[in-house]
């Protein structure tokens, strides 16, 4: 799956075993690796970009489009949730792969270069828009930017691993998504 704009060039491919992330942003590589690891999904992501803001947002969009192609939403569990600890941080992630809504409630007291809340939000908004994803991310505790944002990526990975588990029937009382 490729996404190319005037601002970014992103390529995502499913792999058999390894996760290979090379976006040109070491922090983003680190947290994306955590996301896919805890999702249990081997893939490669490569990117070129002009601004980090565009990289994080467009990668979210590209991953959402990629997952939409990889999974039939009528044959998945649809819902996933996780409470993820990482040192001082404790992050709740809950999601529904069916409609678009984003609630990100994170408050960083100790900033760390590269771990900006704005970049994180742009990634989540891009992911939610392109995947038709309702996602709530809430900080239960924590002050360190690195721990909060990394725990959120790990929590999203765990929640996605649940939501994308196979289901025999469509997971909706309406009979459709």
């Amino acid at each position: 799956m490729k996404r190319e704009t005037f601002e970014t060039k992103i390529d995502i491919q499913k792999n058999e075993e390894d996760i290979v992330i090379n976006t040109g942003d070491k922090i983003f590589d680190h947290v994306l690796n955590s996301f896919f690891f805890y999702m249990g999904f081997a893939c490669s992501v490569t990117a070129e970009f002009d601004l980090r803001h565009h990289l994080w947002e467009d990668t979210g969009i590209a991953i959402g489009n990629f997952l939409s192609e990889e999974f039939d939403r009528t044959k998945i569990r649809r819902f996933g949730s996780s409470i993820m600890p990482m040192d001082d941080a404790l992050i709740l992630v809950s999601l529904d792969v069916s409609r678009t809504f984003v609630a990100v409630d994170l408050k960083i007291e100790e900033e760390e270069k590269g771990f900006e809340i704005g970049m994180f939000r742009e990634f989540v908004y891009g992911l939610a828009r392109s995947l038709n994803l309702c996602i709530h991310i809430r900080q239960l505790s924590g002050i360190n930017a690195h721990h909060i944002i990394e725990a959120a990526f790990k929590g999203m990975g765990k929640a996605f691993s649940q939501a994308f588990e196979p289901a025999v029937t469509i997971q909706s009382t309406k009979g459709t998504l």
Side-chain angles (χ1 to χ4, degrees), residues 96-158:
D96 173 4
V97 184
S98 74
R99 63 184 90 206
T100 305
F101 182 82
V102 175
V104 175
D105 182 15
L106 302 178
K107 293 175 183 54
I108 293 173
E109 293 178 33
E110 290 180 359
E111 295 182 10
E112 187 173 332
K113 187 174 176 154
F115 291 93
E116 293 93 6
I117 192 68
M119 297 297 173
F120 177 75
R121 280 193 182 103
E122 290 304 320
F123 173 80
V124 174
Y125 291 151
L127 182 64
R129 284 193 316 268
S130 61
L131 187 56
N132 242 3
L133 176 68
C134 171
I135 186 166
H136 291 258
I137 302 170
R138 176 158 293 175
Q139 178 180 333
L140 304 176
S141 68
I143 59 172
N144 180 273
H146 183 156
H147 302 157
I148 291 165
I149 290 175
E150 186 171 347
F153 270 95
K154 290 176 177 179
M156 284 192 299
K158 275 304 217 193

Side-chain angles (χ1 to χ4, degrees), residues 20-34:
V20 180
I21 311 292
N22 187 8
T23 67
D25 178 338
K26 289 182 181 185
I27 303 292
F28 198 36
D29 292 354
H30 175 62
V31 293
L32 281 178
N33 187 73
S34 292

Side-chain angles (χ1 to χ4, degrees), residues 11-26:
D11 183 43
I12 304 172
Q13 301 295 323
K14 187 173 183 179
N15 291 343
E16 290 300 316
E17 296 178 13
D18 296 330
I19 299 168
V20 180
I21 311 292
N22 187 8
T23 67
D25 178 338
K26 289 182 181 185

Side-chain angles (χ1 to χ4, degrees), residues 5 9 35 48 51 54 57 94 96 100-101 104 118 131 136 144 146 157 174:
T5 71
K9 187 185 295 185
F35 171 73
E48 297 174 24
L51 302 173
H54 296 147
E57 178 183 24
S94 188
D96 173 4
T100 305
F101 182 82
V104 175
L131 187 56
H136 291 258
N144 180 273
H146 183 156
K174 296 176 185 175

Side-chain angles (χ1 to χ4, degrees), residues 34-99:
S34 292
F35 171 73
F36 286 113
F37 178 84
Y38 286 98
M39 186 178 170
F41 193 84
C43 67
S44 64
V45 179
T46 57
E48 297 174 24
F49 64 97
D50 59 356
L51 302 173
R52 287 183 69 232
H53 176 104
H54 296 147
L55 170 67
W56 284 58
E57 178 183 24
D58 284 10
T59 302
I61 292 167
I63 290 171
N65 288 336
F66 178 74
L67 294 175
S68 289
E69 292 175 3
E70 282 294 311
F71 295 95
D72 178 351
R73 70 181 60 241
T74 65
K75 296 179 181 170
I76 60 172
R77 281 190 53 199
R78 177 182 161 188
F79 299 100
S81 62
S82 174
I83 298 176
M84 185 62 66
M86 185 172 171
D87 299 338
D88 59 299
L90 185 62
I91 306 297
L92 168 92
V93 177
S94 188
L95 57 88
D96 173 4
V97 184
S98 74
R99 63 184 90 206

